[in-house]
Structures are given as C-alpha cells and as structure tokens.
Amino acid sequence: MSFNIFEAFKYRRKKTFIHSLDPRTKLALALGVSALSIIFTELIVLLIIFLSLVPLLLIAKSIKEWTSTVKGLTLLIVFILFVNIIFNGLSFAISMVLRIFSLITAFSLFFLTVHPDELSQALIQMKIPFSFAFAMSMAIRYVPTIANEAQTIREAQMSRGLELEKGGFTQRIKNFIPIIIPLIVSSIRRAISIAESLESRGFGAYPNRTYLLPLKMRKRDYTVLITLLAAIIISVIIKFVVGLPPLLLLSIPF
Amino acid sequence: MPLIEFKNVSFKYGDAESYAIKDINLKIDEGEFILLTGSTGCGKTTLIRCINGLIPHFHQGALEGEIIVNGYSTTECTVAFLSTIVGIVFQNPENQLVSLNVLRELAFGPENMGIPREEINKRIMEVAEKLELKHLLDKTPIELSGGEQQRVAIASALTLKPRILLLDEPTANLDPKSAKMIIELLDTLNKSLNLTIIVIEHRLELLMDYVNRVILMENGRIIADGKPSEVLYSHEAERSGVNIPRLIRFFKKLKELNPKLISNPVTIREGVEALKKVSE
C-alpha cells in the first residue's frame, strides 16, 4: 500500500521526447518549476503552473504512474487542505494543494524519466566525485535484493513463532527487531563481498576513469532550457516589477 | 616459468589464531584447468585470494612467503594492476553485479582502468558474443536467471582480458542444468583463449570431463595435487571426506575385486574403455 507513493518515483523504460532529454535538463526543469510554484501564492497562477505540467506528463506517457502517487498521497493532501481551510480560508488552501501537486508532478516527472544510471552520470559530469555517484546508483541497484532478503528473514522468523501483529504500538515496533538485526548483519557481510568484487575490478584505482556513455546536451535540451529560463524571467518580472494583472489575482471570496 | 608460483606461502587473517593456509608450494602453468577442492574452511578461498592480491591488500593479516603471478610479486602490485592478469568470480553473483544493466557491468572493469571507449565497446561485443549475452545487454541484474547472472559475472571479469580466471564455487547457487552450462563455458574459454582456470567446487562430478589437474586441500595445506585419476583415487581423497564421484567409488570397489583392472578412469568414457579392456 504505502509503496504506491514510490511508484511515481520509479524509472520506467519508455521512448518519449521527455525520456530522451538530458537528465540535467530535466533536473533544471524540476527545480525551475518548484521555484516558480514557491514564488507564487496566487490561486490562478499556481493553477496555470500545474496545468502546464500536465501536457509534459502526457508527452512522457506517465499519467498512470503519476495518478498512483497522487492516490498514495491523498491523506496528506486532504490534511493540508483542511488545516489550511481552518486557518487560512478556502482560497489559500486550494492554492497550497495546487502547489503540492506541482512539486510532486515536477519531481515525479524527473524520477520517472531519468534512469538511475543517467542520474549518476549526470552527477559525475556535474563534478560530484565518482564514488558518491556510484554509491547512489548502487543503493538503487540493491533495493530489490535487500527487500528479498528482508522477506526471507521475515518468513524464517515467523516460521519460528515471531508474531508481528501482536501487542500495542511499541510492542509492534519491537517485534521487528528479530528481522532488523539479521538484515543488518547480512547486509554488512554482503557489503564486504561486494567490496571484494569491486576491488577485483579496479574500482577507484586510477584517476583517469573512462565513462562509456557520457551525457551530451542536444538541441532539444537547449530549447527546453531556454523556454524554461524565459518563463522564469518573465514570471519574476511580472511578479516583482510589473505586478500581476487583476485577472490573475482572482480568488475564491471566502 | 610458471604463470603462478607459490613459494612457502602461509597466511593468517588479522584476528585469527591459526593459519588459514600453511606452507603452500605450488606451480601452475599457462592453459591449465584446475579443480581446487577440500572441505569447507580448508583454505581454498584464501588460496585464490592470494593469487589476485586481495590478500594481503584487501584482507589484512600476516603473509609469509612469496606469490609470483605472471612474473610479478603480488605484494608489490595493487589489486587493480593484478586484475588485468587475474579475473575472479565469486559464489554469489548477486554480490558481483553492481550496475543497473549488463552493458555497464561489462564496462565496469575497463572503465576503471581508463581504457578508451572504442576499445571497451570492442571488448564488450567480443565477450557478449562469446558468452551469448548480446540479447541481455540492457537488462537489469534482477531480471536475469541465476545462470545468466553468473555468466555476466564471468563476462565482467573477462572484459579486463585476464590470463587467469579464478572461480569460487561458481555453481553453488545454480540448478544442475545451469551449473553444467557454466562448466562447459569454462571449458570453451580454457580451450579457445588458452585461459588458465582455477575453479573451487564441491560438486566434483561436474568437472571430471574437463579438468586436467586436481588440487586437494585440508586444514590449510595441500594434501594431494595431480591428475584427477591420481588424486581422486588416493587415500588422501578418501580421508578428507570430499564428495568423490560415484564412478570413481565404483571402480575403486571393482579394482579390489579384479586385479586385472589397472587404470584409474575418471570419466564415463574412460570407464567404458577400462571395462572393455578387462573383458577382452
């Protein structure tokens, strides 16, 4: 159930325009959109920001995955809505929800369309040391392996009489100790044998490492980046210099 | 000059009281296909860790004696340098496949060495062709079967173009069919690339058709070393409790009953020959 939230942040192999963009472009897009949705508090503007992201989701053919995240976050969204209605009124509450939607959409678009390998390559080309970028991609690589292991340990402990659902709240947390401890021990063991294998293939031995698949910005990346930059500059000018036209200041009057 | 030479080698792990291997003297020539066996904890893994330099560079401890690999003393070289001479494949392929797809896994070693891109691509294609991995290049490790994973692990060692390949129980996690495929693959590599192979295995039966030498260890020492027909028919093999193939046990019994049977067959074909000879 709770894993549904992460569905939207899991890469899907697809061939679309958005997938073909450089990860750095998509990172800029996610950060730019986030910045815009934080700068503005007006209902109509936030609605425009959110609606402008929907076509991107459509192009990336990722509506389904996005919907499942939003479903997973329903509780949080409803909570934000109500708290804000009580303290700040309906108009502000809806604005807040639109802001959250824009943030979720921007970042799920990023994670849905950027392969973890591309992400680590992007980090390396952004001068993050290789070992950090590699650690990140390896963490993603080992999630399913460790999850499998956790399942095995869980079954082993349950077949020896461990009852996870027993007791009150604190007891239930304590029930997980017989699963966590073996999992940690086996993960440390695994880490040592992974290290052995890395060492045996010259990991980090020479400073002039080759990268087989370097990222290259293409025309389409520059087009997207220029559009994004223009949108940000124009919005900032309108917001702080010109002032928003009355149409965009409309709000729900209660 | 032998490709690998151990001169009076002993090793004790950092915090251990007793030696993991003791007084090892060993010479291995290019192109040999060797089975290294013995009961668990007898020092097999320690021995192969010495060949690619994981001992003493990765696993700390007290190393005595000298190990020469392709003319280099392992204590004076880094593991990275040795990795272009010695490839190693471990028991659990899950722990060796660190990348998110097969292509990157095969590229990992050569990338670390700073080898030019065109050369890496060429090597990947060669190895993928040989090990029939071309259709798997964009798969993630989790999408592969155990046998495929182990083949990728072997391939990722081979892209560094080693002259020696060490395998630590490569078939332990595999079903019989994939296990047989891996061993047959090793045989092909041994013959076509003249690759020197040392494989640690408990399932001796699997390797009888292929290996030309068996090294048997017990309590950190080599207790028998020679042709399969010598080592597996020896008292040492009997005593050490290794899993002697049924064919050999059968012929040992048969030889007690029939003194005319003089050969030591290890494969089925040799067994049939031996029986033919006796019945003539």
Side-chain angles (χ1 to χ4, degrees):
Chain A
M1 259 302 279
S2 60
F3 280 109
N4 280 349
I5 304 167
F6 300 105
E7 281 301 287
F9 296 105
K10 217 169 76 191
Y11 172 76
R12 305 296 152 91
R13 219 178 303 179
K14 279 175 188 164
K15 279 208 169 93
T16 74
F17 175 78
I18 306 279
H19 283 76
S20 76
L21 289 173
D22 190 287
R24 287 166 290 181
T25 308
K26 285 180 271 193
L27 185 62
L29 191 67
L31 293 177
V33 170
S34 310
L36 281 181
S37 58
I38 287 166
I39 293 170
F40 290 97
T41 48
E42 294 78 7
L43 178 68
I44 304 285
V45 182
L46 286 167
L47 188 64
I48 292 170
I49 293 173
F50 173 62
L51 289 179
S52 65
L53 288 172
V54 175
L56 297 182
L57 275 177
L58 284 172
I59 296 170
K61 295 183 181 151
S62 304
I63 286 283
K64 229 176 78 194
E65 291 85 356
W66 177 82
T67 329
S68 69
T69 323
V70 174
K71 269 188 202 153
L73 290 171
T74 315
L75 208 67
L76 178 71
I77 292 166
V78 171
F79 177 75
I80 291 170
L81 190 68
F82 276 99
V83 169
N84 278 300
I85 288 175
I86 293 165
F87 293 104
N88 301 313
L90 183 62
S91 190
F92 188 80
I94 293 178
S95 311
M96 281 304 106
V97 169
L98 283 171
R99 179 182 282 174
I100 297 270
F101 266 82
S102 304
L103 289 172
I104 295 169
T105 313
F107 279 97
S108 68
L109 202 57
F110 177 77
F111 285 106
L112 278 173
T113 61
V114 175
H115 189 279
D117 273 339
E118 286 181 327
L119 179 55
S120 72
Q121 186 63 36
L123 293 177
I124 290 161
Q125 287 180 228
M126 285 153 74
K127 306 280 177 238
I128 306 277
F130 170 64
S131 48
F132 284 93
F134 183 72
M136 193 205 64
S137 92
M138 220 167 62
I140 297 169
R141 150 70 183 92
Y142 278 98
V143 167
T145 306
I146 305 285
N148 261 341
E149 188 137 298
Q151 184 61 21
T152 310
I153 294 172
R154 204 179 95 122
E155 280 163 12
Q157 299 289 46
M158 283 170 79
S159 70
R160 282 187 266 172
L162 174 72
E163 287 178 284
L164 288 174
E165 253 88 274
K166 210 178 63 182
F169 183 68
T170 40
Q171 183 57 43
R172 278 182 188 215
I173 290 174
K174 276 188 196 157
N175 289 345
F176 277 91
I177 292 174
I179 295 175
I180 301 294
I181 302 280
L183 191 62
I184 291 173
V185 172
S186 83
S187 297
I188 290 172
R189 283 218 188 116
R190 185 187 294 282
I192 293 170
S193 68
I194 292 171
E196 251 188 327
S197 153
L198 293 179
E199 196 80 357
S200 309
R201 285 182 286 161
F203 175 75
Y206 304 108
N208 59 336
R209 191 181 193 274
T210 312
Y211 296 97
L212 186 63
L213 306 164
L215 297 169
K216 270 204 193 88
M217 298 284 267
R218 289 186 291 173
K219 225 185 209 163
R220 50 180 66 179
D221 293 301
Y222 292 113
T223 317
V224 172
L225 283 178
I226 289 167
T227 317
L228 177 72
L229 196 65
I232 293 175
I233 290 172
I234 292 169
S235 334
V236 169
I237 290 174
I238 293 177
K239 165 99 184 176
F240 295 109
V241 185
V242 185
L244 288 170
L247 183 70
L248 294 181
L249 291 169
L250 284 180
S251 64
I252 304 164
F254 53 85
Chain B
M1 194 180 68
L3 188 55
I4 303 167
E5 188 171 6
F6 280 67
K7 292 181 190 162
N8 292 318
V9 175
S10 301
F11 181 76
K12 215 192 288 189
Y13 284 101
D15 48 0
E17 301 247 311
S18 58
Y19 283 95
I21 52 173
K22 184 86 180 116
D23 301 330
I24 302 286
N25 282 292
L26 187 63
K27 281 182 185 164
I28 293 168
D29 289 316
E30 176 140 40
E32 287 197 83
F33 189 174
I34 299 174
L35 164 63
L36 176 58
T37 193
S39 48
T40 304
C42 70
K44 307 181 296 282
T45 302
T46 307
L47 188 82
I48 65 167
R49 277 174 180 159
C50 287
I51 301 174
N52 87 330
L54 281 175
I55 289 175
H57 301 295
F58 183 80
H59 295 279
Q60 313 287 324
L63 180 69
E64 294 157 30
E66 196 181 16
I67 306 142
I68 310 284
V69 174
N70 196 25
Y72 301 97
S73 164
T74 58
T75 45
E76 282 152 33
C77 305
T78 61
V79 180
F81 173 76
L82 287 166
S83 72
T84 58
I85 307 169
V86 188
I88 188 161
V89 173
F90 300 92
Q91 182 176 341
N92 188 350
E94 277 257 55
N95 296 347
Q96 302 165 70
L97 306 183
V98 295
S99 309
L100 286 150
N101 71 37
V102 173
L103 179 77
R104 280 172 191 267
E105 195 62 52
L106 300 192
F108 185 75
E111 279 185 323
N112 287 332
M113 295 297 146
I115 290 165
R117 247 167 239 142
E118 308 75 58
E119 170 68 15
I120 297 181
N121 275 319
K122 211 181 103 208
R123 287 186 185 188
I124 291 175
M125 284 308 140
E126 275 172 19
V127 171
E129 179 89 28
K130 203 164 203 93
L131 273 65
E132 290 165 33
L133 294 171
K134 274 196 161 162
H135 59 296
L136 300 175
L137 285 177
D138 65 346
K139 296 258 193 242
T140 69
I142 322 144
E143 293 172 303
L144 306 177
S145 70
E148 287 169 342
Q149 285 187 343
Q150 200 55 291
R151 244 157 60 214
V152 174
I154 293 172
S156 67
L158 291 181
T159 48
L160 282 167
K161 294 210 162 172
R163 299 175 66 189
I164 304 162
L165 187 63
L166 312 171
L167 302 102
D168 193 347
E169 297 189 43
T171 69
N173 294 355
L174 304 182
D175 60 81
K177 198 178 160 207
S178 330
K180 194 164 184 333
M181 269 183 73
I182 292 292
I183 301 299
E184 279 169 1
L185 171 67
L186 295 180
D187 182 53
T188 316
L189 293 172
N190 171 250
K191 294 207 168 87
S192 64
L193 304 174
N194 199 26
L195 193 67
T196 308
I197 297 177
I198 304 173
V199 49
I200 297 181
E201 248 319 324
H202 288 296
R203 299 195 234 176
L204 308 188
E205 190 105 44
L206 267 176
L207 285 142
M208 285 303 108
D209 286 338
Y210 310 108
V211 291
N212 51 28
R213 182 171 169 189
V214 176
I215 297 173
L216 179 61
M217 290 183 74
E218 192 181 62
N219 296 328
R221 293 168 195 269
I222 293 176
I223 55 167
D225 177 0
K227 288 194 182 117
S229 58
E230 296 160 11
V231 174
L232 295 173
Y233 278 86
S234 66
H235 293 297
E236 285 83 1
E238 187 82 56
R239 195 192 65 208
S240 74
V242 292
N243 186 12
I244 296 175
R246 278 176 172 269
L247 179 96
I248 292 170
R249 294 217 302 264
F250 173 70
F251 270 95
K252 271 175 126 175
K253 273 265 152 44
L254 221 52
K255 283 173 77 166
E256 285 168 18
L257 300 171
N258 189 344
K260 269 174 32 189
L261 202 61
I262 39 164
S263 62
N264 285 348
V266 289
T267 66
I268 291 177
R269 189 164 8 118
E270 287 170 9
V272 173
E273 291 289 313
L275 288 178
K276 263 189 195 161
K277 232 179 231 172
V278 177
S279 60
E280 268 163 14

